[in-house]
Amino acid sequence: RTLMFTITVPDDEAVYTYTLAPGSVTDLQGTPNNAWTGTFVVDRTGPRVLSHTPSGATSPPFTSAIFAFDEPVDPATVELDDISFRRPGDTSDYWGLTGIRVEGNEVTVEFPEQSEIGTYTVTIGPAIDDLAGNPMDQNENGTTGETGDEYTATIVLSGADLTPDDSVAAPAAAEFGDEISVTWTVRN
């Protein structure tokens, strides 16, 4: 009780629409079909990372890095082997990653609290697929899943740079042994 049609479309990435006009097919009892329209997508483009959080300079501590892709990714293809994490001064990967979460187009990499001042790098990919099964194409050259399609996030942890403003308040005079109160406001 299934009717199948074979259609031919170009092998181009696009959204295609098909239509079955009303009455163009009848069942065994002579009942005509209703109108039907549908669409399908030919997807040949792999996902890309658009941004990461935290980005640039941030204050410690941090416990995760979030990667925002340009389309949803297949959670089954995101594994710890797809992640490289380096702490300040390290020349090899840190293997203390504690988890990965995938929600739509976001991949969150989790690790123990990091608070050492310096530059961290987190590299993700390239064996991460979109929902159509296309591996990453970070360099957008049309060849997916190759070296060069990984994405590296640089995160700089910096200490607070607190500077008192002009609101320092202290008594005008005091004698040795007096308790004094000094207040100030700082900005970063």
Side-chain angles (χ1 to χ4, degrees):
R1 298 188 193 206
T2 301
L3 177 63
M4 293 177 36
F5 294 94
T6 302
I7 59 172
T8 303
V9 296
D11 192 22
D12 297 331
E13 186 165 329
V15 176
Y16 294 93
T17 301
Y18 58 92
T19 302
L20 184 61
S24 56
V25 178
T26 57
D27 65 15
L28 296 175
Q29 288 78 35
T31 307
N33 68 286
N34 294 326
W36 178 261
T37 300
T39 61
F40 63 93
V41 176
V42 174
D43 179 1
R44 303 252 187 267
T45 303
R48 298 179 54 248
V49 175
L50 299 176
S51 64
H52 66 274
T53 306
S55 64
T58 191
S59 298
F62 78 113
T63 59
S64 64
I66 301 170
F67 296 87
F69 283 79
D70 64 342
E71 62 179 310
V73 297
D74 180 357
T77 65
V78 184
E79 301 176 354
L80 288 175
D81 290 349
D82 298 313
I83 313 297
S84 167
F85 181 83
R86 291 208 177 160
R87 298 185 296 183
D90 284 353
T91 56
S92 60
D93 291 343
Y94 171 69
W95 295 105
L97 301 178
T98 58
I100 300 172
R101 285 184 289 125
V102 179
E103 296 175 16
N105 68 330
E106 287 190 350
V107 174
T108 302
V109 179
E110 300 167 332
F111 35 81
E113 185 175 286
Q114 303 295 313
S115 57
E116 182 180 344
I117 302 302
T119 302
Y120 294 76
T121 59
V122 186
T123 302
I124 188 168
I128 296 174
D129 298 355
D130 64 13
L131 298 178
N134 300 305
M136 285 178 67
D137 189 14
Q138 190 65 35
N139 60 13
E140 297 183 276
N141 69 354
T143 303
T144 61
E146 65 183 347
T147 301
D149 283 330
E150 63 277 339
Y151 177 87
T152 300
T154 300
I155 302 164
V156 179
L157 286 191
S158 57
D161 181 19
L162 302 177
T163 305
D165 63 17
D166 295 331
S167 66
V168 176
E175 292 186 23
F176 184 76
D178 286 350
E179 189 173 303
I180 62 169
S181 177
V182 178
T183 61
W184 65 92
T185 304
V186 294
R187 59 186 154 70
N188 197 5

